[in-house]
Amino acid sequence: MPIQPPVESPRDLGEAYALLAATHHRPIAGGTDVMVQITGEIGQLPDRLLDVWHLEGLRGITVSEGALTIGALTTYTAMRHSAPCREHAPALVEAAATIGAAQIQNRGTIGGNIANASPAGDTLPVLLAMDAEIVAGSLRGERIVAAADFWTGYRRTALAPDELVLRVRLPIAPDREVRFRKIGTRRAQAISKVVMALSWHLRDGRPEWRDVRVALGSVAERPIRVVATEALLEGAAPTAETAARAAEAVAGEIKPIDDVRSTADYRRAVTARVLQRMIREAGGW
Amino acid sequence: MTIRTPTPRGPVRSAPARSAPDALVVPPGEITTGHARGAPLRREGPAKLTGVAKYADDLVFPGAWYGGTVRSTEAHARLDAIELDPGFDWSGVVVVSAADIPGDNVVSLISDDQPVLVPVGGEIRHHAEPVALLAAPDRGMLREARQRLTLRTTPLPAVFDPLQSGEVFAHFDIRRGDVEAALAGAELVVEGIYRVGHQEQLYIENQAMIAVPRDDGGVAVHGSLQCPYYIHKALKRALLLDDRRARVVQTETGGGFGGKEEYPSMIALHAALLALKCKRPVRMIYERHEDIAATTKRHPAIVTYRSGVDREGHLIAQDIEVVMDGGAYTTLTPVVLSRGTLHAGGPYACENVRIRSRAVATNTPPNGAFRGFGAPQVEFAAEMQVNRIAEVLKVSPLELRRRWVYQRGDVTPTGQVLRESVAGEEVLLRATEAAEYERVRERTAGARARRGADGSGREGGDRTASGIGLALGWHGAGFTGSGEVHLASIASVELTADGRIAVLTASTEMGQGTKTIFPQLAAAELGVPVEDVDIAPQDTGIVPDSGPTVASRTAMVVGGLVIKACRRLREEVEARTGRPFAEAYRDDARDHGPTRVDQQFEPYPGVQFDDATYSGDAYPAFGWAACVAEVDVDLDTGEVAVRNVVAADDVGRVIHPVLAEGQVEGGTLQAIGYATIEEIKLEDGRYLNDRLATYLIPTALDAPRITSILVEAPFSGAPHGAKGVGELPMDVGAPAVVDAIHDATGVWIHDLPASPERILAALGATGPTSSSSAGRSRSDKDVEGAVDAAMDAPIEVGTDPLPTERTDAQPFRAPTDR
């Protein structure tokens, strides 16, 4: 009985690129999404798998050139234990800590979360809020895709079929604040009903927010930024009035759906309330 | 593919597990010395902890094939044909259909309506119903074969709403006094409609069964199960086997909760049919997805309640209607409904009671046994009523219960006089004292008033509201009515030739402690060390039929039989030797050989029930439970965190304190899941969330601190006084939590689970600015004002909170309003 689907395990990136260029493979790293889909017979069985787990070059966390760079094969556990991640991307560490159980966090990778492109991927709103750049590679070379352009539809990405996610680059901005909140059915091991990341810059000690990002998961077919709400918050101080207006704006801007985990109305109401609460907590009133 | 006829063999024994020098590795069944708070350690505990315990899927039967079930994908249809793709090589697999069943095509239980497999020309009555079976040498070929088999069907109209169903599985009608007259004369009538949904047992080990053909043409099944003799009976009936040729062996069982009461009969029949046809062992190990999609759940129910209270605050009338959704087949539904009917009034004395109940068929997978067995559904409604009445009367829910709770000598709706072992008030006081219920309630009421007062919907910027809730419950011990008399269970005790004591019962261990407490009871009765007592394997070839391991009956009923058998054994040996048993038994075994005593159930003295009129002693005794729950509710998200629970449970007599507290803690957490997050969503009769990623139960992080208080009000009919503990905590957790949510937020959630979606909807949260309406409680008003306000309000009896609706509008009606 041959193993189904067949698995290729390239020894280096060049071999991986060549295999991807030759024919379609579904990359598999920790397998925390792919294996569930295969054994649960959810969706189409992939024709072939490309096991990238042993491409050591895609592992690791570095700080250089004003950015925190996280290799695609970096696990959630590695991020949680990484001093640079905790220092420069505490919201990402917080998000990583909410994903699955310890076993999932030991196997699941940031590259997998990015490429799996689930609308409920818990790190993705943080990447959006931090203006992350996703570096993809193929035989044709490397290219950078902004997180805001990466997820294009339901489980669709800007990746070409022959491309792999190599790493994600998070610009380090000391005056940037990032907040994260996940609402799930229970306190651990739950897929999000709503997941949110909010970021802003403070310049010259002034209370007005700059470069505001409001990023959401589980409220659309893909992780999204709510640009109208961001525009409303841009240049505003975190007052009660701002918070109320932002809450109203975000409720109008998103179009969530009813599904097995929650309802559209709940998601809309909670997104608005959580955003309002984050702004209130930032404003300290 | 060559098919060899295998020689049936038992499980292959593995070599002793290698371990670290200090690790304690004990094979299953081997006795561990030591004790926990004066009680012996769990017999099977070390094997489970060290991973050497053998669950069904761990057993190796050489040459075994993998069995699979082809299931319906429609809720209601006629099965026209089962088509095998001629392009596939079927010689390497075995296909079984209804035509292969030698005996009756029924899963023998209460009614004969459920087929083992839907026959061609027959009716598919629910989604995921078994239609055909396949066995193959490996999983890949099994999957391939399944894709090459097609069911041809003609769709039929389906019924999903129990209120629209005309097919009644069972109904009951209990009357005491004159309800209508009492309601007409009542000072206050409180009405409510409560809806509770499915709940999945979610035992940690999936359903699993392995069938092995026997040389004599019979079959042995080894599997994860609660009731060996239910399966034994089912095998004999459908496969035309006699007692000897059908053999059922329990493997280590990873939880049951009722989910392995009746459904394992179906799987055993499937595995046996395949094994007999392919003449080799067949493994049927369900994956979680199949397990959730196809097996039984707790019955959904709609409970309509009218309670009447007189001027002095006495409970004078209860008018209750219960509708349960049985799903597509009868299974155990009539018995579940019976227990639900008998518990619907709650543990309160009332002169005028009418309880009408019915269980109906829908085109959904059959519902069945689950811890509590019909009682949690109705006791949720009963306790909601009491808490709502307390609010209207502006009386403490504790005080109201103290006034109403059954006392010794009170009479239940079936006319049962509660002669002894009545401990409702005691558990109520013990739990509320330990939880400092009244003090905490004062504090939470103050916080709620402050939140409401400034109209901001928050208190000092804090968006978390705390609340405390209370519930009281009762649970009939053992089988309902004449059930135990009909069962006529037998338990045996043997002094073996080598001077040891063997306890022989069919009572299964599924984590609750059977294998630990029976040796304890026997050792205590005989005065021998507990290490000298062995438990015979739960194998129908070895142990007598001591009935199913259900209904919290193991400790009380079968434990009682074990003690009585030990008494007779002791008397026999002492008469023969003239010496005390403890001194004489080893010599007696050597000199006289083995001595075995079979003890059959004898009716409890003075306990009588009339099945025809549904009157008399519904249960030999009741267990009593109180639960105080404290919650934090996030007013922005509706998320509920249960922080603290104090549970007081009267179990008659505590046999093993650690195991009993474990039951209380586990049952409480299961009830919290039922109260807050566990919910099955259906679409066209199919469960939408049939995976562990979508059907969620509480994790350790969701678990509150639980304080268990064990109360002992012994039952004289059992030699040791025990009444059982397994189901009690399941009856009271949900209403206590929902009461606490009300205490925190001021809104009542009438339907389970009290999910964040329902809570936000009840709080009127359609947007971020509307939170100021949260936290209003009717208790701010006086009774008359509340009644007046309710009469003015639109009557929304039976609100099923949808996220777009306000739901805190169930009416209080004065009798003059009719």
Side-chain angles (χ1 to χ4, degrees), chain B residues 320-342:
Chain B
I320 308 162
E321 192 183 339
V322 181
V323 179
M324 285 193 186
D325 180 353
Y329 294 107
T330 306
T331 68
L332 292 163
T333 290
V335 202
V336 172
L337 183 72
S338 159
R339 187 173 281 270
T341 308
L342 293 164

Side-chain angles (χ1 to χ4, degrees), chain A residues 39-76:
Chain A
T39 57
E41 298 178 16
I42 299 166
Q44 191 73 35
L45 191 69
D47 295 334
R48 284 166 220 86
L49 293 177
L50 187 77
D51 169 23
V52 297
W53 187 254
H54 301 289
L55 302 179
E56 286 301 322
L58 301 187
R59 225 165 236 122
I61 299 162
T62 55
V63 177
S64 64
E65 294 164 22
L68 174 72
T69 301
I70 304 172
L73 290 182
T74 306
T75 63
Y76 303 117

Side-chain angles (χ1 to χ4, degrees), chain B residues 43 501-505 507 514-516 518-519 533-538:
Chain B
R43 281 275 161 125
I501 312 297
V503 175
L504 296 98
T505 76
S507 300
T514 305
K515 283 186 177 171
T516 308
F518 281 1
V533 183
D534 299 316
I535 284 278
Q538 277 57 55

Side-chain angles (χ1 to χ4, degrees), chain B residues 101-104 217-218 233-243 245-246 269 276:
Chain B
I101 301 168
D104 296 334
K233 183 180 166 205
L235 289 174
K236 289 193 294 179
R237 174 98 184 263
L239 304 179
L240 295 178
L241 298 174
D242 57 23
D243 280 341
R245 290 189 303 152
L269 283 165
L276 289 172

Side-chain angles (χ1 to χ4, degrees), chain A:
Chain A
M1 178 71 192
I3 294 167
Q4 285 295 341
V7 183
E8 296 279 3
S9 295
R11 281 157 302 181
D12 56 46
L13 203 49
E15 201 183 324
Y17 286 161
L19 284 161
L20 282 170
T23 182
H24 182 262
H25 286 77
R26 173 104 192 255
I28 177 170
T32 57
D33 284 307
V34 178
M35 291 306 293
V36 172
Q37 290 155 13
I38 291 172
T39 57
E41 298 178 16
I42 299 166
Q44 191 73 35
L45 191 69
D47 295 334
R48 284 166 220 86
L49 293 177
L50 187 77
D51 169 23
V52 297
W53 187 254
H54 301 289
L55 302 179
E56 286 301 322
L58 301 187
R59 225 165 236 122
I61 299 162
T62 55
V63 177
S64 64
E65 294 164 22
L68 174 72
T69 301
I70 304 172
L73 290 182
T74 306
T75 63
Y76 303 117
T77 300
M79 286 188 276
R80 291 184 68 182
H81 292 160
S82 155
C85 277
R86 286 209 298 267
E87 183 184 348
H88 301 295
L92 185 63
V93 171
E94 211 182 314
T98 69
I99 296 175
Q103 295 92 328
I104 298 291
Q105 291 178 10
N106 286 340
R107 290 289 300 184
T109 64
I110 186 137
N113 209 221
I114 290 167
N116 190 54
S118 163
D122 285 321
T123 67
L124 309 184
V126 180
L127 300 184
L128 284 167
M130 295 183 73
D131 291 332
E133 295 172 341
I134 292 155
V135 183
S138 70
L139 278 182
R140 294 169 289 132
E142 292 188 5
R143 67 181 178 116
I144 291 173
V145 184
D149 301 326
F150 190 83
W151 297 284
T152 55
Y154 179 68
R155 290 188 177 267
R156 287 182 177 278
T157 69
L159 286 178
D162 65 340
E163 279 183 313
L164 275 180
V165 174
L166 304 182
R167 56 193 172 271
V168 59
R169 198 174 164 277
L170 300 164
I172 294 173
D175 57 354
R176 181 174 57 200
E177 295 287 335
V178 187
R179 299 284 183 271
F180 171 83
R181 176 76 200 269
K182 167 175 172 169
I183 291 94
T185 300
R186 62 185 174 196
R187 296 166 73 80
Q189 302 189 47
I191 297 169
S192 297
K193 293 176 178 177
V194 171
V195 54
M196 179 184 298
L198 166 69
S199 74
W200 67 92
H201 279 85
L202 291 179
R203 300 257 163 76
D204 313 321
R206 295 184 54 78
E208 288 82 21
W209 286 7
R210 303 287 169 194
D211 302 329
V212 180
R213 306 280 180 265
V214 181
L216 296 165
S218 295
V219 299
E221 80 289 356
R222 62 192 172 93
I224 57 165
R225 275 175 49 189
V226 276
V227 290
T229 305
E230 289 177 356
L232 187 147
L233 285 167
E234 190 67 34
T239 62
E241 196 215 338
T242 305
R245 285 174 57 215
E248 198 179 332
V250 78
E253 192 172 358
I254 59 172
K255 292 183 178 51
I257 58 164
D258 290 346
D259 69 7
V260 74
R261 267 180 284 281
S262 190
T263 63
D265 286 341
Y266 178 82
R267 288 179 158 121
R268 186 178 294 108
V270 162
T271 300
R273 286 159 161 247
V274 169
L275 178 60
Q276 187 174 24
R277 181 139 133 191
M278 279 182 174
I279 296 169
R280 179 164 63 77
E281 282 164 3
W285 41 272

